[in-house]
Amino acid sequence: MKVTIVGAGAVGASCAEYIAIKDFASEVVILDIKEGYAEGKAMDLMQCASLNGFDTKITGSTNDYSKTANSDICVITSGIPRKPGMTREELIGINAGIVKTVSASLIEHSPNTIIIVVSNPMDTMTYLVHKTTILPKNRIIGMGGALDSARFKYRLAEALDAPISDIDGMVIGGHSDVGMVPLTSHATRNSIKVSEFISEERLNQVKEDTKVGGATLTKLLGTSAWYAPGAAVSALVQAIACDQKKMFPCSALLEGEFGLNDISIGVPVILGKNGIEEIVEIELSEAELNHLKTSAEGVSKTNGLLDLEVAV
C-alpha cells in the first residue's frame, strides 16, 4: 500500500505521521514544491520510527511526481492556508490552479489511484477534480465531514461532560462556516439521543460552535489547524487501505441523492478498497434537509467561480 501526500505543510506532515504510526501502509511519499522541505519532513518522521514502533517507509520529494508512481491513494493538501478573518471560499483563485495541476500530475503517474482532496474550499476543489479528470466518481473524495464530525463530537462531549468515546454524531453539508449541517437529531451518547441530557438551547450552541470550529482555531493559531485535519485524513486513508467499509461523511459527487445533482458536498458514505463504495441516504428532518439544500446553494455559487476545462 503506497500513499502519496502532496503538500508537506502542517496538515500534510501530520497526516503522514498518523498514517505511519498506524502502520498499515508500506510507503508514504510526501511531495512539496519548496526545495528540500518534503525531504526534511520525511527524514524527521523516519527518525521517529524506532521510537513509535512503525515500519512504514517515508520519503520526501521536491516536485518530482515520478516518485509518486503507482500510489494506491493520493492526498492533496497543497494550497495556501486560511489566515484569521479569511473564509475558505476566499482561497479559490489560487488553490484551484494548484489542485488542477496537482491532480493531473498524480493521475499521470498513478492512473488507478484514489484521490482525497483536503485543499480549501474543499467541496469546490473536489468538484474541480471531478470535472477536470477522468477518474470515476467513487475514486474522488473530499475530506471535510470527518473533521467537522470530530469537532462536533468534541463539543458534544464538552457540553455533556462525558467521555468522547460515549459520543456519536455526524456533520453533513458544505465544509464551510455557514454550510455545515450538524445532525443534532441523530447525535447520541451511548445510543441515547443527546437531547435527553441537554437543553435545546445548549444543543444549538454546540451546533454553532461546531460550525465555526475551524475559524475559532484559525483565530487562536494565526493559521489553519493541523492535528485534527491530519487525523481525519488518516482515518479515511486507513478505511480505504484496509477495506474497512466504515461510514464517514465525505464530499461526494451527487446525482440525485438527497435531491441534489452535479455537486460535491458532504454526505454519509461507506469507504472501502474502491473508495466510495456507497452513498447512504439517511432520513433527515425537514429543517436538516432545508439546511442541506441551502448549503448546496452556497457550494454551487462557489463552484460557479471556477474556470473549468473538462477533461476528455
Side-chain angles (χ1 to χ4, degrees), residues 153-154 156-158 160-168 188-190:
K153 286 180 269 192
Y154 158 71
L156 284 168
E158 180 183 54
L160 290 161
D161 192 24
I164 207 158
S165 57
D166 254 11
I167 306 300
D168 199 12
T188 62
R189 176 179 182 178
N190 203 4

Side-chain angles (χ1 to χ4, degrees), residues 284-297:
L284 301 176
S285 69
E286 184 178 356
E288 289 165 344
L289 186 58
N290 287 338
H291 192 177
L292 178 61
K293 289 179 178 177
T294 300
S295 177
E297 289 171 5

Side-chain angles (χ1 to χ4, degrees), residues 209-220:
D209 288 343
T210 298
K211 288 161 68 175
V212 296
T216 301
L217 285 163
T218 300
K219 185 177 179 180
L220 291 169

Side-chain angles (χ1 to χ4, degrees), residues 126-128 130-131 135-138 140-142 250-257 260-267 269 276 279 303:
T126 305
Y127 183 75
L128 176 68
H130 279 290
K131 292 299 180 179
L135 286 185
K137 69 174 189 175
N138 61 295
I140 302 170
I141 303 162
C250 294
S251 191
L253 185 67
L254 302 185
E255 296 175 317
E257 299 90 348
L260 301 173
N261 278 287
D262 193 35
I263 189 171
S264 290
I265 198 167
V267 293
V269 304
I276 295 175
I279 294 173
N303 290 351

